[in-house]
Amino acid sequence: MARSLGLMAVVIAVLLLIGPARTLVFPGSAKLPPVDYTHQVTAFKEVAGIVLAPSDLPSGWRANAATFDSGRGRAHLHIGFATPGARFAGLDESNGPAAELVRQVLGPRGARVTGTTTIAGETWELRRSQRGEQALTWTTGPLTLVVTGSASDAQLRTLAGSLR
C-alpha cells in the first residue's frame, strides 16, 4: 500500500509541474504574450465617436490584455500593461455613466474621491480600488477614464499622461 501511495504522489507531482500550477513553481513562464490593441481602439472609436489611447509609453511597457465590449450605444475599452518591475497598469475607458464604470472597475470603495492631481494639464481624481490599489479617474466630454493597477504612482501617471 505504501508503494501505491508513493506512486500516486509522484504522478501528482508531475501533473503539478506540467499543469497550470507550474506558475507557482516557475512564475517567469506565466508571462502573457504582447497584445496589439489597435483593433479594440478602432472598434471603441466607431461606437463612442472618440477615443483616448496610450501613445509614446516608455520602453519596457508591454500591452498584455485588450478587450472591447459594447451594447446600446455604450462602449467599454480595457487595455492592460505589464510595466517595468513586474507590475500591472490598466486603462478602462467608457462612454457610459461615469459612476457605473468606476464601480465596475474599482468596486464600491472606488466611489470615494480622496483628492485630485494634475496630469498633462488635466485634473484627475484620486481614488482607491477595492483591492487597495491607487486609481486615477477623469471625465472629459462623453468619456470616463480609469487608470489603476499595482504599478507605482509614477507609472500610473505616465499611462494617464500618454493618453491622446
Side-chain angles (χ1 to χ4, degrees):
M1 187 157 130
R3 279 190 276 172
S4 296
L5 288 175
L7 180 60
M8 286 179 59
V10 169
V11 169
I12 289 171
V14 168
L15 290 174
L16 286 175
L17 287 174
I18 63 172
R22 73 179 174 272
T23 60
L24 296 173
V25 179
F26 305 110
S29 66
K31 290 183 181 176
L32 295 173
V35 171
D36 178 9
Y37 53 85
T38 54
H39 175 72
Q40 288 84 357
V41 168
T42 301
F44 182 89
K45 186 174 183 179
E46 288 175 5
V47 174
I50 184 173
V51 67
L52 293 173
S55 63
D56 301 323
L57 287 169
S59 65
W61 285 67
R62 184 175 47 84
N64 61 8
T67 59
F68 166 75
D69 295 310
S70 69
R72 289 184 260 150
R74 292 185 185 170
H76 179 191
L77 172 67
H78 170 79
I79 305 171
F81 293 91
T83 65
R87 302 252 176 138
F88 172 80
L91 164 68
D92 285 89
E93 187 169 341
S94 177
N95 66 338
E100 185 178 305
L101 178 67
V102 169
R103 184 175 47 255
Q104 180 182 355
V105 175
L106 303 178
R109 184 177 179 186
R112 185 170 158 260
V113 176
T114 60
T116 61
T117 188
T118 302
I119 301 171
E122 302 296 342
T123 302
W124 288 70
E125 295 176 331
L126 300 171
R127 301 171 188 259
R128 285 268 171 211
S129 74
Q130 198 65 28
R131 293 182 298 244
E133 297 170 336
Q134 178 72 28
L136 304 165
T137 61
W138 178 44
T139 299
T140 178
L143 297 181
T144 300
L145 298 101
V146 177
V147 174
T148 190
S150 64
S152 69
D153 181 58
Q155 289 172 326
L156 295 176
R157 293 175 63 85
T158 296
L159 177 56
S162 77
L163 301 174
R164 311 252 181 300

